[in-house]
């Protein structure tokens, strides 16, 4: 509706979160509601899938540690919970691929989204019979795996009527939001690094081939398919932006964001010795653990709300440093002095200044509102012939940015807290968290 000449739109592609999808019947109607990507209800199915399997072997095939949030356990959960509906199911499509199918009538699985299913052979670029056997999922349920930017077909006539698109619009395979955002940011070649900051956070390193070091999988890092034949390695923060949102809702719901951040910004680096570990959903790389919880340490009777807000932001920054540094070690690369940043949480300048200081990096914040959407638009352009290659598409994009400099005077405080406190918090708290999880599962998750 905002395009004066709709016929100028020559390509359409879709990006989405990774693990969620739709189970469809023979009439291509959903037989169940989608399970949110972060939903932990599939723990029993996950445990059954990996029971007796060698985690190193699973990583060697998939490039990931199979997790309970992945697609495989989600499909198993549907089968266990509603066998009648599952018996009517004839196909599964991850969220973006489902929307692309509704646009053009062609079923395909994006390779980057397939990387988050726990069911793909990453090196072969196709479904793994070995992993499908562990999950007892029929290969016929899953569509062909294709690279992002592969053409699928024209927009269907009824969709044209609903959207205003024309016969000129070709639907293409899209992908997972984080790799698509990295493509938009230009992080496509070996060693390119991106911090994608949103409700969750992805520390993303482009690599030219899947790595074989089993330590990568043991620490919870994931490998996956990137833009048209390249790969990536990343660590994830399951509660990044949401950590701030969670605490503000609890303690300062009636106060504006600007006021909350201004008061937190007046607190000295280190938050008076209050340190927060942001494991509100799951723990993150390099300590993958689904039985953890968040915690503050160092609280006193004098601790006030601005101090706690700053501590939450510092905890997210510490966690990002802990997650990102091993990426470069595994890839044999030095930690860079600069970090490219995208995502909605990148609008939080106080968090960015803290992260810059904690990580000793300049933050190059790209002024792109929706990097994931731009990335899939670029894939659509490749499919439509606007660009011939990934490199050509990446070179054609203008990336305005602003830079957040670190506060070098804060380095000693943050380095000391990170080395002497933060890096010890997960292993110290893990036994207590496991007890709490085992005795209170489901009551506060």
């Amino acid at each position: 509706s905002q395009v004066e000449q709709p016929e100028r739109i020559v390509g359409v592609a879709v990006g989405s979160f990774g693990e969620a999808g739709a189970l469809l019947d023979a009439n291509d109607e959903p037989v169940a509601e989608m399970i949110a990507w972060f939903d932990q209800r599939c723990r029993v199915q996950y445990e059954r899938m990996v029971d007796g399997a060698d985690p190193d072997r699973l990583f060697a095939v998939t490039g990931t540690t199979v997790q309970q949030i992945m697609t495989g356990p989600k499909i198993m959960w549907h089968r266990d919970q509603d066998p009648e509906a599952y018996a009517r199911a004839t196909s599964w499509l991850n969220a973006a691929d489902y929307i692309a199918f509704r646009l053009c009538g062609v079923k395909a699985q994006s390779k980057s989204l397939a990387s988050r299913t726990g069911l793909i052979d990453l090196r072969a670029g196709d479904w793994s019979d070995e992993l499908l056997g562990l999950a007892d999922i029929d290969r016929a349920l899953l569509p062909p795996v294709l690279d992002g930017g592969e053409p699928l077909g024209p927009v269907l006539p009824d969709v044209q009527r609903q959207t205003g698109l024309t016969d000129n619009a070709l639907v293409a395979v899209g992908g997972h939001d984080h790799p698509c955002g990295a493509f938009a940011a230009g992080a496509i070649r070996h060693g390119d690094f991106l911090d994608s900051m949103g409700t969750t956070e992805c520390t993303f390193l482009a690599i030219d081939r899947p790595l074989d070091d089993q330590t990568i999988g043991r620490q919870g890092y994931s490998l996956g398919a990137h833009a048209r034949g390249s790969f990536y390695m990343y660590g994830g923060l399951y509660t990044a932006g949401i950590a701030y949102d969670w605490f503000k809702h609890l303690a300062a719901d009636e106060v504006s964001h600007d006021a909350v951040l201004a008061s937190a910004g007046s607190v000295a680096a280190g938050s008076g010795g209050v340190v927060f570990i942001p494991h509100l959903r799951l723990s993150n790389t390099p300590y993958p653990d689904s039985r953890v919880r968040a915690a503050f340490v160092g609280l006193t009777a004098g601790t006030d709300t601005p101090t706690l807000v700053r501590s939450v932001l510092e905890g997210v920054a510490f966690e990002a440093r802990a997650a990102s540094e091993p990426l470069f070690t595994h890839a044999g690369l030095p930690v860079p002095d600069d970090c490219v940043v995208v995502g909605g949480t990148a609008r939080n300048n106080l968090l960015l200044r803290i992260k810059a200081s904690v990580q000793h990096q300049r933050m190059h914040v790209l002024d792109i509102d929706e990097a994931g959407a731009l990335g899939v638009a670029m894939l659509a352009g490749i499919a439509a012939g606007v660009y011939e290659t990934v490199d050509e598409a990446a070179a054609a994009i203008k990336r305005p940015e602003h830079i957040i400099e670190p506060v070098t005077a804060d380095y000693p405080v943050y380095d000391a807290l990170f080395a002497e406190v933060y890096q010890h918090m997960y292993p110290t708290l893990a036994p207590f968290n496991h007890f709490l999880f085992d005795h209170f599962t489901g009551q506060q998750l």
Side-chain angles (χ1 to χ4, degrees):
S1 64
Q2 298 178 42
V3 179
E4 292 182 0
Q5 298 173 290
E7 65 276 6
R8 295 182 60 209
I9 300 174
V10 296
V12 181
V14 185
S16 75
F17 34 70
E19 296 81 2
L23 201 58
L24 309 178
D25 64 17
N27 295 317
D28 296 321
E29 294 294 332
V31 301
E33 293 182 344
M34 288 188 184
I35 301 173
W37 70 266
F38 56 81
D39 194 301
Q40 299 186 53
R41 76 180 72 179
C42 307
R43 183 177 186 84
V44 170
Q45 290 73 26
Y46 150 76
E47 290 176 344
R48 188 166 76 240
M49 179 178 173
V50 302
D51 183 38
D54 179 0
D56 288 346
R57 171 60 187 168
L58 298 181
F59 176 79
V61 176
T62 68
T64 69
T65 52
V66 178
Q67 300 167 305
Q68 66 198 56
I69 64 171
M70 286 186 167
T71 303
K74 283 177 165 57
I75 295 175
M76 295 169 69
W77 187 91
H78 284 300
R79 182 174 60 213
D80 290 350
Q81 294 298 312
D82 194 345
E84 181 181 353
Y86 187 83
R88 293 188 282 111
T90 60
S91 61
W92 167 280
L93 290 169
N94 276 60
D97 301 311
Y98 170 65
I99 297 171
F101 163 67
R102 294 295 302 271
L103 291 172
C104 69
V106 179
K107 295 178 182 177
Q109 174 77 55
S110 156
K111 194 175 291 185
S112 65
L113 283 168
S115 299
R116 299 303 302 160
T117 63
L119 300 172
I120 194 175
D121 183 328
L122 181 62
R123 289 164 179 80
D126 199 3
W127 303 115
S128 164
D129 290 329
E130 180 179 353
L131 288 156
L132 290 172
L134 292 177
D136 192 22
I137 294 172
D138 189 342
R139 177 185 275 263
L141 194 68
L142 303 172
V145 178
L146 298 177
D147 266 325
E150 289 291 328
L152 292 175
V155 175
L156 295 170
D158 64 323
V159 176
Q160 292 181 37
R161 288 190 291 271
Q162 293 178 61
T163 64
L165 294 167
T166 72
D167 285 334
N168 289 343
L170 178 69
V171 180
V173 179
H176 186 195
D177 52 5
H178 286 304
C180 290
F183 183 27
I188 57 174
R189 294 295 170 234
H190 186 75
D192 292 341
F193 179 60
L194 175 74
D195 191 347
S196 178
M197 297 172 58
T199 302
T200 62
E201 184 171 346
C202 172
T203 52
F204 184 102
L205 182 66
I207 53 178
D208 55 11
R209 57 181 175 80
L211 303 179
D212 296 321
D213 183 357
Q214 299 296 339
T215 306
I216 297 171
R218 293 169 192 164
Q219 292 184 342
Y221 292 98
S222 293
L223 309 177
H226 192 13
R228 309 280 291 187
S230 61
F231 297 88
Y232 65 81
M233 175 169 54
Y234 82 86
L237 277 68
Y238 294 105
T239 47
I242 199 175
Y244 166 77
D245 292 340
W246 161 78
F247 187 77
K248 182 183 182 301
H249 175 69
L250 286 180
D253 207 21
E254 302 304 317
V255 183
S256 72
H257 287 287
D258 289 344
V260 169
L261 295 175
S263 62
S266 68
V267 177
S271 301
V274 178
V275 183
F276 176 69
I277 188 165
H279 295 165
L280 292 167
R281 283 180 176 150
L282 303 163
S283 69
N284 310 299
T285 50
Y287 297 111
D289 189 343
S290 62
R291 299 163 66 208
V292 298
R293 295 188 177 194
F296 286 101
V297 300
L299 297 174
T300 71
T303 302
D304 57 15
T305 297
T307 298
L308 290 174
V309 171
R310 186 178 184 102
S311 176
V312 167
L313 299 179
E314 290 177 342
V316 170
F318 285 139
E319 191 74 1
R321 176 174 172 177
S324 62
E325 287 184 347
L327 287 174
F328 301 100
T329 301
H330 291 309
L333 297 168
V335 177
D337 295 327
D338 297 85
C339 176
V340 177
V341 181
V342 297
T345 305
R347 301 185 184 98
N348 187 329
N349 285 332
L350 176 58
L351 173 58
L352 286 172
R353 189 167 73 247
I354 291 171
K355 281 173 63 70
S357 304
V358 167
Q359 298 177 187
H360 299 201
Q361 291 176 320
R362 289 180 294 273
M363 297 284 153
H364 294 255
V365 185
L366 300 188
D367 297 322
I368 299 173
D369 288 337
E370 293 290 349
L374 175 57
V376 290
M378 294 161 66
L379 292 174
I382 292 172
V386 176
Y387 314 113
E388 290 189 6
T389 66
V390 165
D391 288 327
E392 182 183 338
I397 301 302
K398 296 180 180 178
R399 300 179 181 87
E401 66 175 41
H402 64 278
I403 298 175
I404 304 293
E405 296 282 353
V407 181
T408 56
D410 292 343
Y411 285 2
V413 173
Y414 285 140
D415 287 349
L417 285 176
F418 184 73
E420 302 301 327
V421 180
Y422 196 83
Q423 288 191 304
H424 301 285
M425 287 180 69
Y426 166 79
T428 301
L429 295 172
F432 311 132
N433 283 326
H434 292 171
F435 175 87
L436 295 172
F437 182 92
D438 293 341
H439 288 78
F440 297 96
T441 299
Q443 295 185 24
Q444 297 181 38
L445 296 181

